[in-house]
């Protein structure tokens, strides 16, 4: 994506997409129609009530959780999918049983894997083999299972820096050593990746896995090129390192289509982990791993599945029915329109209110936008100064160094645009710009 600098940005950035139609408002803001009057921002968050947002109330751009109002919209979908799933219990108890995996038509995961393949293949741009899909309870559990089956305590795991800040704890719980791999505006760099591999080799340490987010990255929003992915996979094959791509945002494309997932290459060291947390509901705890035949066969040997049966058995059947009914596709399309409007609102606000020297990238999808402050400006100091000025924070942004295993990116903020309404984002961009300007002028 293009990088926009506050200085001269009007000449570089075209007219943003406007939200004027009532249809778009209903779809994208969950009826978040509001107006500023008497110092109060009225946001119509519910169908029958106006909930005032006081101008002194803090707007949270930190949390990466889905918007609770958007989750409220999927209640009826989940109820309908559950009602469709339960009658199957009359003749076969599959949804409520442990769930044996036999890879036959009565396999406990057959419906889920088949519907999932049909759902993601058109978006991915290639035919996903249902037999190469392994059900999980989400990305975090997928990473944990991979750690169980392909790593041993004391081995090294590489991880792009910055990245999703909760993942290192999973590796540490398994006794693994986390080494950061530097990234730029296009993702993890092959040069840094190879350097860490060579260093591990010199220290007689085994690198078993590398975790990265190649599409609509958390936190930076960028998407890695096909050429860079190919080079990383080339090195992975040379050093026998499992490349675990967290592709949870692949389906949330807000513009031109990103490259297909890493497993489209058919590479034996490529692994994709994803879930329905961002396009349906995280509480369902349903996701998947896509990988090569040798790794899928290994995963099916894990003790967790051998003892407890297929993971998230009932919930995965409910999700399968939501896909079969077409309601999940409808919900995803609504989310894309909604998040596009929210992203554009935040972009407009930042364009108008960030002081000179700040720059940001416009992500093509996902949840997050990355802001870089003027050189030498610490994001943590900006927030501290802002809080001291008002007695409490009026806007919250994730400090970049908290997303870095190496404590880097002190001069950056990660902003989540998926959780707040359009009006809240417009106000949040104004407040953040003001906070940065106040600090720079102090």
């Amino acid at each position: 994506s293009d990088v926009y600098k506050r200085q001269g940005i009007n000449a570089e950035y075209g007219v943003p997409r406007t939200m004027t139609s009532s249809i778009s408002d209903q779809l994208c803001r969950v009826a978040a129609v509001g107006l500023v009057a008497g110092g109060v921002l009225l946001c119509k968050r519910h169908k029958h009530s106006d909930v005032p947002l006081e101008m002194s109330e803090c707007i949270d751009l930190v949390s990466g959780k889905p918007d609770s109002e958007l989750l409220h919209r999927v209640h009826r979908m989940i109820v309908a999918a559950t009602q469709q799933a339960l009658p199957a219990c009359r003749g076969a108890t599959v949804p409520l049983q442990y769930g044996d995996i036999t890879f036959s038509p009565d396999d406990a995961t057959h419906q889920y894997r088949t519907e999932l393949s049909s759902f993601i293949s058109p978006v991915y741009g290639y035919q996903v083999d249902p037999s190469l899909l392994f059900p999980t309870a989400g990305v975090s559990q997928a990473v944990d299972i991979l750690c169980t089956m392909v790593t041993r305590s004391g081995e090294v795991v590489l991880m792009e820096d910055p990245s999703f800040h909760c993942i290192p704890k999973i590796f540490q719980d398994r006794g693994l050593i986390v080494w950061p791999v530097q990234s730029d505006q296009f993702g993890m760099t092959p040069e840094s990746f190879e350097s860490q591999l060579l260093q591990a080799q010199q220290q007689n340490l085994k690198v078993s896995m590398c975790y990265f987010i190649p599409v609509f990255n958390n936190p930076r929003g960028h998407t890695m090129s096909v050429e860079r992915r190919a080079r990383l996979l080339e090195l992975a094959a040379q050093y026998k390192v499992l490349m675990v791509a967290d592709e949870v945002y692949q389906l949330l494309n807000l513009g031109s289509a990103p490259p297909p997932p890493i497993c489209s290459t058919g590479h034996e060291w490529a692994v994709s982990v994803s879930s329905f947390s961002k396009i349906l509901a995280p509480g369902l705890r349903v996701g998947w791993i896509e990988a090569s035949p040798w790794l899928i066969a290994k995963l099916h040997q894990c003790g967790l599945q051998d003892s407890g049966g297929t993971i998230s058995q009932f919930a995965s059947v409910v999700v399968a029915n939501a896909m079969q009914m077409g309601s999940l596709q409808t919900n995803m399309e609504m989310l894309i329109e909604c998040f596009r409007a929210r992203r554009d609102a935040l972009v407009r606000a930042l364009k108008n209110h960030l002081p000179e020297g700040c720059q940001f990238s416009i992500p093509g999808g996902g949840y997050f936008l990355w802001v870089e402050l003027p050189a030498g400006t610490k994001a943590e100091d900006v927030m501290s100064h802002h809080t001291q000025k008002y007695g409490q924070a009026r806007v919250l942004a994730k400090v970049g160094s908290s997303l870095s295993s190496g404590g880097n990116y002190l001069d950056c903020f990660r902003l989540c645009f998926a959780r707040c309404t359009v009006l809240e984002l417009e106000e949040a961009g104004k407040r953040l710009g003001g906070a940065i300007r106040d600090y720079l002028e102090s």
Side-chain angles (χ1 to χ4, degrees):
S1 60
D2 293 330
V3 175
Y4 294 88
K5 296 185 178 179
R6 180 64 187 93
Q7 185 174 15
I9 194 170
N10 291 333
E12 297 176 3
Y13 185 65
V15 178
R17 177 179 183 270
T18 57
M19 291 296 296
T20 56
S21 71
S22 59
I23 295 177
S24 294
D25 286 344
Q26 291 171 18
L27 283 174
C28 307
R29 303 206 229 173
V30 196
V33 182
L35 54 93
V36 177
V40 177
L41 178 64
L42 299 179
C43 293
K44 193 170 184 181
R45 293 169 173 269
H46 296 283
K47 201 171 183 180
H48 303 297
S49 65
D50 287 331
V51 181
L53 172 69
E54 297 292 343
M55 297 306 283
S56 60
E57 184 177 328
C58 182
I59 302 176
D60 182 7
L61 301 181
V62 171
S63 176
K65 295 179 181 179
D67 177 359
S68 59
E69 296 303 330
L70 295 180
L71 291 179
H72 182 75
R73 292 172 66 92
V74 304
H75 284 185
R76 282 183 294 179
M77 180 204 312
I78 293 173
V79 168
T82 302
Q83 290 174 335
Q84 182 164 299
L86 282 173
C89 296
R90 297 170 185 168
T93 59
V94 165
L96 299 179
Q97 191 51 276
Y98 277 109
D100 295 326
I101 300 177
T102 62
F103 293 102
S104 61
D106 61 351
D107 182 316
T109 68
H110 177 76
Q111 182 189 14
Y112 173 66
R113 289 184 293 102
T114 301
E115 292 298 334
L116 177 58
S117 172
S118 298
F119 181 72
I120 62 178
S121 291
V123 183
Y124 281 11
Y126 67 97
Q127 185 59 45
V128 177
D129 185 346
S131 69
L132 299 182
L133 297 172
F134 182 86
T136 71
V139 166
S140 297
Q141 197 220 22
V143 171
D144 191 60
I145 290 175
L146 289 168
C147 288
T148 299
M149 300 305 294
V150 301
T151 71
R152 293 294 178 267
S153 179
E155 294 178 351
V156 172
V157 170
L158 300 182
M159 182 172 175
E160 77 176 321
D161 188 44
S163 190
F164 176 36
H165 63 285
C166 294
I167 292 295
K169 184 65 165 60
I170 296 174
F171 296 140
Q172 291 160 2
D173 287 347
R174 294 294 182 175
L176 300 167
I177 305 166
V178 180
W179 284 8
V181 179
Q182 294 177 4
S183 63
D184 57 21
Q185 68 269 33
F186 306 111
M188 186 169 63
T189 68
E191 295 78 14
S192 180
F193 180 57
E194 185 172 20
S195 175
Q196 294 291 56
L197 291 172
L198 286 170
Q199 184 176 340
Q201 190 178 64
Q202 291 166 2
Q203 297 181 26
N204 200 29
L205 293 171
K206 180 181 178 182
V207 178
S208 52
M209 185 188 300
C210 177
Y211 170 89
F212 66 121
I213 306 176
V215 60
F216 309 139
N217 177 270
N218 174 10
R220 299 183 74 169
H222 56 59
T223 294
M224 186 182 292
S225 68
V226 172
E227 293 75 18
R228 183 170 291 197
R229 298 178 192 211
R231 176 56 181 155
L232 291 170
L233 288 173
E234 182 182 336
L235 290 166
Q238 180 181 341
Y239 288 89
K240 294 181 170 51
V241 176
L242 202 64
M243 299 299 289
V244 180
D246 183 343
E247 297 178 316
V248 71
Y249 301 106
Q250 182 81 33
L251 298 173
L252 286 177
N253 168 33
L254 308 182
S256 58
I262 194 170
C263 286
S264 65
T265 62
H267 200 286
E268 65 173 324
W269 295 99
V271 183
S272 174
V273 294
S274 194
S275 83
F276 290 95
S277 294
K278 307 301 183 183
I279 61 171
L280 185 53
L284 288 169
R285 307 313 305 147
V286 178
W288 69 93
I289 296 173
E290 182 184 2
S292 299
W294 73 268
L295 181 56
I296 292 296
K298 190 176 184 67
L299 293 175
H300 281 298
Q301 297 171 9
C302 73
L304 178 66
Q305 181 175 276
D306 190 48
S307 173
T310 185
I311 298 164
S312 294
Q313 165 68 352
F314 181 76
S316 66
V317 173
V318 171
V319 173
N321 278 276
M323 289 187 282
Q324 187 178 65
M325 295 161 61
S327 53
L328 182 54
Q329 178 67 32
T330 300
N331 188 66
M332 189 173 75
E333 291 170 358
M334 181 276 295
L335 288 177
I336 288 171
E337 288 299 310
C338 175
F339 293 157
R340 182 184 293 121
R342 292 179 176 188
R343 177 201 62 183
D344 291 351
L346 183 57
V347 166
R348 289 195 300 271
L350 294 176
K351 178 193 72 171
N352 290 327
H353 299 292
L354 284 183
E356 283 190 21
C358 295
Q359 58 183 19
F360 62 96
S361 298
I362 300 180
Y367 266 41
F368 303 105
L369 186 151
W370 187 251
V371 174
E372 296 180 6
L373 302 176
T377 306
K378 292 184 178 181
E380 188 173 5
D381 291 345
V382 171
M383 295 310 300
S384 295
H385 183 269
H386 170 68
T387 302
Q388 290 173 5
K389 177 177 179 179
Y390 292 98
Q392 64 177 24
R394 298 175 69 243
V395 62
L396 292 176
K398 189 77 170 173
V399 174
S401 57
S402 68
L403 302 162
S404 168
S405 56
N408 302 311
Y409 304 97
L410 297 169
D411 58 350
C412 299
F413 282 121
R414 185 198 74 177
L415 312 181
C416 178
F417 56 80
R419 187 172 174 81
C420 297
T421 66
V422 166
L423 291 176
E424 288 168 337
L425 289 164
E426 290 171 348
E427 179 65 20
K430 179 180 178 181
R431 293 182 185 184
L432 182 62
I436 298 169
R437 182 176 291 101
D438 286 345
Y439 175 77
L440 294 174
E441 295 175 353
S442 66

